[in-house]
Amino acid sequence: MSHLCYREGNNKAVEKNSKNQEDNPQKVKDFIHKAVECYSQTWKKQEDNYQKLRSKLSSECLGLDKALITQNNKPVGSEIVYDGEKKTLQVTPELFNIFLKDQPFSSKTLDTCAVVGNGGILINSSCGERIDSAQFVIRCNLPPLANGYEKHVGIKTDLVTANPSIFNDRYGALNGHRHPFVESLRSYENSLLLIHAFSFSAYTAVSLRAFNTIKDFESPIRPVFSNPEYLKSLILFWRSQGLRESRLSTGLITTSLALQLCNNIDLYGFWPFSNHPQDLHPLTNHYYDDIKPNKFHAMPAEFDLLMRLHSQGILRLHLEDCPTGGK
């Protein structure tokens, strides 16, 4: 079990964490106890720690101008190298034409970012107003926001991700009726829709169908594609910080983006266990369903890393309800 509370400036890496840790009840209990103990300490932003990590992230990873595929970084004739397998795809004029002309992120560092995970810890949290007060709100994998969820998770969205498997699992690979997919995007309005189209070649075609569907129905949402070179650089960076896994979760990818976009980062809905940290009452895996996580990702190890960043004052995890709604 790695230590969750760290002294300011301590660069101790996150130790190797078992992917099966959540299957051991005693380890889970110990983990939750340590997390609560650490979390109960007064949080204060440590500007030096934040700037140090941000500087390392900027120097060791591709910058924000390379985070998304654009016409600037992927001209016609260049190759896209998949980050999940040893395959390449040549950029044709047709493919080039659907890429953004330039990266859409502000050249100025934003003040506040809220990164919203989908954990069951958000159920009845009343954190929606606090989340929506952030300057830039990032959500993961097309989560539902309506039907009463607004109070707890908010509605504001500036960027939402979509794992291409969602297109297959929820919308029949967009081979039939496409209108339900477009309707499901309505609550995100004109946010960026970040699609990992070039991680695995098996998902490229359905990702492009999603793009074409959005254009055909004139949805205001703005589909963009993650750059697999950027995702590779993130994996190498977090490995250098002690994380041991072959692929990063969407939550850690979006948190990495937020660290490059914003001065102050707040994380909601990040809790990898099926008991609430405050009183141990049972939680569903997501705030909207109980589908279990992909074993691809080492969720407890990632949370351990996020807890270290919280302890060092680099970002702020929220593991409590927001009963007053506001800040």
Side-chain angles (χ1 to χ4, degrees), residues 65 69-74 96-104 224:
D65 60 325
I69 287 182
T70 67
Q71 293 182 353
N72 281 337
N73 58 45
K74 288 298 174 191
F96 176 81
N97 284 336
I98 73 171
F99 295 159
L100 289 175
K101 287 185 168 58
D102 202 0
Q103 65 91 8
V224 295

Side-chain angles (χ1 to χ4, degrees), residues 146-161:
N147 301 321
Y149 293 128
E150 303 97 323
K151 179 181 178 182
H152 309 296
V153 302
I155 191 74
K156 180 181 178 181
T157 308
D158 295 283
L159 183 150
V160 61
T161 70

Side-chain angles (χ1 to χ4, degrees), residues 213-227:
T213 298
I214 288 165
K215 295 306 175 188
D216 289 347
F217 282 82
E218 299 182 345
S219 169
I221 205 165
R222 295 172 289 157
V224 295
F225 302 114
S226 56
N227 185 346

Side-chain angles (χ1 to χ4, degrees), residues 29-217:
K29 191 175 178 181
D30 292 345
F31 190 102
I32 292 175
H33 175 75
K34 187 66 180 176
V36 171
E37 180 185 321
C38 185
Y39 187 77
S40 66
Q41 298 176 12
T42 302
W43 186 88
K44 182 182 178 183
K45 185 174 181 191
Q46 302 291 338
E47 191 66 30
D48 287 351
N49 290 347
Y50 162 77
Q51 292 293 351
K52 192 180 298 182
L53 182 78
R54 194 168 186 225
S55 176
K56 287 188 74 171
L57 192 58
S58 297
S59 64
E60 296 180 26
C61 295
L62 301 179
L64 279 176
D65 60 325
K66 300 271 180 60
L68 306 179
I69 287 182
T70 67
Q71 293 182 353
N72 281 337
N73 58 45
K74 288 298 174 191
V76 174
S78 63
E79 282 193 337
I80 295 172
V81 181
Y82 288 86
D83 64 283
E85 58 187 342
K86 293 180 179 178
K87 288 190 177 181
T88 61
L89 179 69
Q90 189 170 50
V91 177
T92 62
E94 294 77 18
L95 196 54
F96 176 81
N97 284 336
I98 73 171
F99 295 159
L100 289 175
K101 287 185 168 58
D102 202 0
Q103 65 91 8
F105 301 120
S106 170
S107 57
K108 296 179 180 177
T109 303
L110 300 172
D111 183 34
T112 56
C113 273
V115 184
V116 188
N118 297 329
I121 193 172
L122 282 171
I123 295 170
N124 296 324
S125 67
S126 299
C127 286
E129 187 178 337
R130 191 183 291 181
I131 288 168
D132 284 350
S133 71
Q135 193 174 356
F136 196 89
V137 179
I138 302 174
R139 301 184 188 273
C140 302
N141 290 328
L142 299 177
L145 303 180
N147 301 321
Y149 293 128
E150 303 97 323
K151 179 181 178 182
H152 309 296
V153 302
I155 191 74
K156 180 181 178 181
T157 308
D158 295 283
L159 183 150
V160 61
T161 70
N163 188 316
S165 62
I166 292 171
F167 306 142
N168 290 335
D169 298 343
R170 295 187 197 170
Y171 305 106
L174 298 171
N175 284 320
H177 295 294
R178 301 180 298 162
H179 192 254
F181 169 61
V182 177
E183 278 298 304
S184 73
L185 302 177
R186 189 184 295 273
S187 59
Y188 311 115
E189 298 182 339
N190 67 338
S191 66
L192 295 168
L193 173 64
L194 180 60
I195 305 172
H196 302 310
F198 305 106
S199 288
F200 294 95
S201 57
Y203 285 141
T204 301
V206 73
S207 298
L208 297 181
R209 284 198 293 278
F211 179 94
N212 290 328
T213 298
I214 288 165
K215 295 306 175 188
D216 289 347
F217 282 82

